[in-house]
Amino acid sequence: MTVAPARPYNRSDWASSFVNVDEELTDVALTPVRGVVPAELQGTFYRNGPGRLERDGQRVHHPFDGDGMIAAMRFDNGRVQLTNRFVRTEGWLAEEKADKVLYRGVFGSQKPGGRLANAFDLRLKNIANTNVVRLGDQLLALWEAAEPHALDPQSLETRGLSRLDGVLKKGEAFSAHPRFDPGHNGRPSMVTFGVKTGPRSTIRLMEFATEGPDAGTLLHDRSDSFPGFAFLHDFAITPNWAVFLQNAIAFNPLPFVTGEKGAAQCLQSKPGGKGRFWLIPRDSGEFAGQKPRILEAPEGFVFHHLNAFEDGDHVVVESIVYDDFPSIGPDDDFAEVDFDTVPEGILHRCRLDLSREIVNTERISERTCEFAMVNPERQGLSAQFAWMAVAERETGNDPLQAVQKLDLSSGATHTWSAAPRGFVSEPLMVRRPGAEAEDDGWVLDLVWNGARRASDLVILNARDLSEVAVLELPLAVPHGLHGSWAAEL
């Protein structure tokens, strides 16, 4: 009989992160408790995630329904300062004033009063909690079902909803997962999308300038419609393609309308359903103006892609694949989730043969993982290395407790672990200025420290994940979502 290895974590340590952020700090100096901050790290590490998880004694049903809170860690000649602010959304301001829950949440959070109080209230509260990116002179807090909120990049004060100088219509969806093209087609750009779902789904693909006097200006814009319901969080880019994976997901809105479930809880995998790869030609690439390509995808559910690249007539897509759509039902407590019953994310590589319209798939890792990225200069190109958050155990599903560097060619790994009492978030690889080697730089991660019930900023050497410095934050930041790095120009 095979005995499963002991779990390397205590549930109470993991769950202790699910608390309200109780203060907003301004330019608080962070001093390393170990190591030295590299002087070459010049810029700001921005991070977004749910910061308010409870109001008037009522906790959100799912952390993804929490109000967005931005943390900015500014690096300047070996010094680091922390500023954090809640995004002053319309919903946050209204609930702050009323001191009670006024809105339902997409992931199942309900207003007080039971089913009758929630039925037929179909308003979506823009909680601005999923990602944060710099575009021109604006810092954008992203939530993919509506417009972004614009913030001041320095003070983090909320400027208000942004329609990007008229690019977006009121309430138009704008992805929380843009991709940054380092300059494959002549100039760097931010590539992003909005999706309008229904029996047919429409993807609006947009590209914005990211450098120069026209930073933030829309460069390219096209819309394409596809058959079927689209549940899309992420996508991948190559120099010529934007690659989407339409998961085999059905949406029955009736329980949402009648107040029984949140909208996301009405999503369900189609038994025996087949996903589709949608490849949209980029208007900055050599196939501009051509029709999209559609290929059948293998079984599984994908939230996040690592990267994509072109290899002759093939497009290669590397993605984190789940056996099924992971969700938390109306009667489940997210802090008590049984990880043994939740599908684990495993890194796969799909090779899309566009000439023969066939797809071949292989697993390229066996370890539970999420939040994977390549060197930003290799976005859309073949990369040798990936950095990702992984479970502490080699096999089995657990919370994410380690950062791993994976050689995508050989399978060799380096790992930094926060176990047994630490839990990692999305690692961010920052390239060393002027670096030539792909793995020359640092990895930044915001780690939940269960021992002191607060967060640590960890700086690692990207080459071998050796620890460079650890800085303790005077702040408890809940497990969060995405972030970005903005270099000082």
Side-chain angles (χ1 to χ4, degrees), residues 93-165:
L93 289 170
E95 290 185 334
E96 282 287 295
K97 183 177 181 180
D99 195 27
K100 64 179 181 179
V101 175
L102 301 175
Y103 298 87
R104 303 171 67 185
V106 170
F107 289 86
S109 302
Q110 300 282 63
K111 298 185 300 182
R115 177 176 170 182
L116 289 178
N118 289 274
F120 304 106
D121 184 353
L122 308 184
R123 297 173 299 165
L124 292 180
K125 177 187 175 187
N126 185 338
I127 48 180
N129 74 353
T130 310
N131 204 347
V132 55
V133 298
R134 183 80 181 261
L135 184 64
D137 65 351
Q138 297 190 115
L139 186 68
L140 300 179
L142 305 176
W143 184 70
E144 57 207 20
E147 311 103 308
H149 282 77
L151 313 177
D152 182 280
Q154 297 299 318
S155 69
L156 303 185
E157 297 303 322
T158 303
R159 294 172 174 170
L161 280 174
S162 173
R163 295 187 188 136
L164 302 174
D165 295 326

Side-chain angles (χ1 to χ4, degrees), residues 30-33 37 80 452 455-459 469-473:
L30 303 180
T31 303
V33 293
V37 176
V80 183
R452 65 184 196 92
S455 302
D456 297 338
L457 172 60
V458 176
I459 305 170
V470 175
L471 301 90
E472 293 182 347
L473 275 62

Side-chain angles (χ1 to χ4, degrees), residues 21 23-26 69-72 82-86 156 475:
V21 177
E23 56 185 330
E24 293 180 314
L25 306 175
T26 301
M69 193 279 298
I70 310 297
L82 168 70
T83 296
N84 73 295
R85 289 289 184 277
F86 279 94
L156 303 185
L475 200 64

Side-chain angles (χ1 to χ4, degrees), residues 127-436:
I127 48 180
N129 74 353
T130 310
N131 204 347
V132 55
V133 298
R134 183 80 181 261
L135 184 64
D137 65 351
Q138 297 190 115
L139 186 68
L140 300 179
L142 305 176
W143 184 70
E144 57 207 20
E147 311 103 308
H149 282 77
L151 313 177
D152 182 280
Q154 297 299 318
S155 69
L156 303 185
E157 297 303 322
T158 303
R159 294 172 174 170
L161 280 174
S162 173
R163 295 187 188 136
L164 302 174
D165 295 326
V167 171
L168 302 176
K169 297 178 182 177
K170 183 179 180 179
E172 184 174 354
F174 190 76
S175 171
H177 216 299
R179 293 283 176 168
F180 286 85
D181 182 329
H184 300 314
N185 297 315
R187 65 180 304 175
S189 64
M190 185 182 88
V191 188
T192 191
F193 69 97
V195 60
K196 184 177 181 180
T197 60
R200 287 188 66 84
S201 296
T202 299
I203 294 177
R204 183 184 182 190
L205 185 67
M206 296 162 276
E207 302 194 24
F208 295 85
T210 56
E211 294 183 2
D214 61 345
T217 301
L218 182 67
L219 301 174
H220 303 285
D221 187 3
R222 65 175 286 170
S223 294
D224 297 274
S225 293
F226 300 88
F229 177 84
F231 177 74
L232 303 170
H233 170 62
D234 192 13
F235 74 126
I237 61 169
T238 72
N240 294 304
W241 302 99
V243 184
F244 296 85
L245 200 164
Q246 177 204 26
N247 292 292
I249 291 288
F251 178 62
N252 173 18
L254 185 59
F256 172 57
V257 173
T258 59
E260 298 172 74
K261 295 182 177 182
Q265 293 174 315
C266 297
L267 298 168
Q268 189 173 11
S269 294
K270 292 181 181 178
K274 290 290 185 181
R276 298 286 186 274
F277 281 109
W278 296 339
L279 285 80
I280 300 177
R282 294 178 57 188
D283 283 344
S284 59
E286 63 181 84
F287 306 128
Q290 294 187 15
K291 293 182 179 180
R293 304 289 300 273
I294 302 177
L295 282 78
E296 189 172 285
E299 293 183 359
F301 179 87
V302 172
F303 280 118
H304 293 123
H305 302 284
L306 165 63
N307 193 28
F309 59 92
E310 299 170 29
D311 183 14
D313 289 337
H314 296 179
V315 173
V316 181
V317 187
E318 295 160 337
S319 312
I320 298 167
V321 181
Y322 296 81
D323 288 340
D324 197 2
F325 172 59
S327 64
I328 294 179
D331 298 324
D332 298 331
D333 182 342
F334 66 81
E336 297 295 331
V337 64
D338 182 356
F339 283 90
D340 288 334
T341 66
V342 177
E344 55 187 333
I346 301 295
L347 193 60
H348 286 65
R349 179 182 291 126
C350 287
R351 180 172 287 273
L352 284 58
D353 185 331
L354 300 188
S355 60
R356 296 191 296 166
E357 296 190 343
I358 59 174
V359 177
N360 293 311
T361 304
E362 61 175 326
R363 291 165 70 110
I364 52 178
S365 176
E366 297 296 328
R367 195 161 179 170
T368 295
C369 68
E370 253 299 347
F371 301 126
M373 73 172 295
V374 297
N375 182 314
E377 292 295 308
R378 304 304 299 176
Q379 182 79 240
L381 303 175
S382 176
Q384 183 176 354
F385 303 112
W387 293 265
M388 65 199 74
V390 298
E392 174 69 8
R393 293 189 295 173
E394 293 285 348
T395 58
N397 200 20
D398 287 326
L400 304 171
Q401 289 190 276
V403 176
Q404 184 174 85
K405 175 194 177 188
L406 173 65
D407 187 317
L408 295 164
S409 300
S410 69
T413 61
H414 292 279
T415 305
W416 177 88
S417 175
R421 304 199 68 182
F423 302 85
V424 304
S425 59
E426 175 187 60
L428 198 70
M429 192 278 175
V430 179
R431 175 176 167 269
R432 186 188 304 274
E436 295 183 2

Side-chain angles (χ1 to χ4, degrees), residues 30-77:
L30 303 180
T31 303
V33 293
R34 294 196 300 274
V36 176
V37 176
E40 291 176 279
L41 260 176
Q42 294 280 115
T44 304
F45 175 25
Y46 293 107
R47 180 189 175 280
N48 197 355
R52 181 175 288 281
L53 302 172
E54 179 271 333
R55 190 182 294 277
D56 191 31
Q58 181 177 337
R59 191 174 66 166
V60 296
H61 182 74
H62 193 291
F64 291 177
D65 284 335
D67 294 286
M69 193 279 298
I70 310 297
M73 288 143 281
R74 295 190 175 85
F75 291 73
D76 181 21
N77 196 31

